[in-house]
């Protein structure tokens, strides 16, 4: 049986280290396709077009919304973020697992469209550590940091919607844990309904003459 790809949605508070975790995961394991999101926010220092995000104007993003060009999209802290549809669907058809790094609103939208999607929520070991990481970036004002912390308070109310939480304390440990959870998710019965149905049919065929 050819193993089909599944969507892995990774969410977490801003500053929890999702981007670093995803980068390391795809470096260590070559079985994943990391979807590049589109956004209307400006690039941060060191970020590159097509590697970190596709950066577009608000007008361009809204044009694509009208063309149903996103698997999901949401507005976060004044900017649009979305997952291009064509890339995701082509990777799934090729049998690769597609990782989407998106926030809660988009994650729940994905679950409605793709019921077999695996939802993972990345958390820091403590709230104090989260603030330290946000401050340590050195790329955002105190006002933006406070806004992100207030947003984290809201996001914390939706964590139970996810299948697993991952505490991002030690990077290498987190990468191994995440890979293990994803591989295990492939073997759950509700993600293998087609295969189970085939086995049932085969068993019924084998036992027809034995009744």
């Amino acid at each position: 049986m050819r193993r089909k790809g599944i969507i892995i949605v990774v969410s977490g508070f801003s500053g929890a280290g999702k981007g670093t975790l995803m980068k390391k995961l795809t470096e260590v394991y070559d079985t994943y396709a990391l979807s590049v999101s589109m956004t209307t926010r400006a690039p941060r220092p060191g970020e590159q077009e097509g590697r970190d995000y596709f950066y577009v104007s608000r007008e361009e993003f809204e044009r694509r919304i009208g063309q149903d060009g996103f698997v999901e999209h949401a507005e976060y802290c004044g900017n649009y973020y979305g997952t291009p549809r064509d890339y995701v669907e082509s990777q799934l058809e090729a049998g690769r697992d597609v990782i989407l790094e998106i926030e809660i609103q988009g994650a729940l939208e994905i679950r409605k469209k793709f019921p077999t999607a695996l939802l993972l929520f990345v958390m820091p070991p403590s709230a104090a550590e989260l603030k330290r990481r946000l401050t340590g970036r050195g790329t955002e004002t105190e006002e933006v940091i406070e806004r992100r912390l207030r947003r984290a308070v809201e996001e914390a109310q939706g964590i139970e919607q996810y299948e697993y939480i991952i505490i991002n304390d030690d990077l290498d440990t987190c990468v191994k844990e995440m890979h293990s959870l994803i591989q295990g998710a492939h073997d759950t019965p509700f993600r293998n309904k087609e295969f189970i149905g085939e086995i049932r049919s085969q068993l019924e065929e084998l036992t027809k003459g034995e009744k």
Side-chain angles (χ1 to χ4, degrees):
M1 181 189 73
R2 180 186 174 189
R3 186 161 114 158
K4 294 183 178 179
I6 61 174
I7 290 178
I8 300 103
V9 176
V10 179
S11 304
F13 309 130
S14 178
K18 302 183 297 299
T20 302
L21 188 55
M22 295 302 92
K23 181 181 178 182
K24 183 72 172 180
L25 182 73
T26 53
E27 286 176 355
V28 175
Y29 304 101
D30 61 2
T31 55
Y32 302 111
L34 183 59
S35 178
V36 179
S37 294
M38 190 168 286
T39 184
T40 58
R41 81 158 170 78
R44 292 180 184 141
E47 290 184 341
Q48 293 181 16
E49 168 75 17
R51 185 194 69 184
D52 299 284
Y53 286 97
F54 294 112
Y55 302 96
V56 299
S57 66
R58 195 172 185 88
E59 292 74 21
E60 171 64 13
F61 197 103
E62 290 176 345
R63 183 185 69 80
R64 290 173 180 262
I65 292 175
Q67 295 177 341
D68 195 27
F70 296 105
V71 170
E72 59 77 34
H73 70 276
E75 192 166 4
Y76 175 74
C77 291
N79 286 297
Y80 279 127
Y81 294 82
T83 303
R85 178 182 296 278
D86 52 358
Y87 176 82
V88 171
E89 293 182 344
S90 65
Q91 292 297 318
L92 291 176
E93 284 299 315
R96 302 194 74 193
D97 294 332
V98 180
I99 300 175
L100 310 182
E101 183 189 329
I102 51 182
E103 47 68 65
I104 287 181
Q105 182 182 340
L108 299 183
E109 191 177 333
I110 287 288
R111 172 165 276 170
K112 290 179 182 177
K113 296 178 180 178
F114 300 90
T116 60
L118 172 65
L119 271 58
L120 306 174
F121 196 93
V122 179
M123 301 179 69
S126 68
E129 173 62 14
L130 179 67
K131 185 172 184 179
R132 188 194 70 76
R133 292 178 186 178
L134 284 170
T135 304
R137 283 177 174 174
T139 59
E140 293 162 336
T141 65
E142 278 295 323
E143 181 183 354
V144 172
I145 290 171
E146 287 303 316
R147 191 192 314 162
R148 293 191 182 280
L149 288 173
R150 288 195 299 271
R151 174 64 174 172
V153 172
E154 298 173 5
E155 290 175 327
Q157 305 307 312
I159 296 174
E160 289 85 354
Q161 302 286 336
Y162 289 71
E163 287 181 65
Y164 297 101
I165 61 171
I166 296 175
I167 309 300
N168 188 12
D169 193 357
D170 178 78
L171 180 60
D172 290 337
T173 300
C174 278
V175 167
K176 291 177 183 177
E177 179 184 352
M178 182 172 287
H179 178 67
S180 178
L181 289 173
I182 294 169
Q183 297 312 301
H186 271 281
D187 299 324
T188 55
F190 87 96
R191 291 189 175 93
N192 290 276
K193 291 180 179 179
E194 184 177 335
F195 175 64
I196 292 170
E198 289 175 3
I199 293 296
R200 284 175 175 157
S201 296
Q202 291 169 11
L203 288 170
E204 288 173 3
E205 286 295 319
L206 285 174
T207 57
K208 270 184 179 178
E210 299 178 8
K211 294 181 181 177

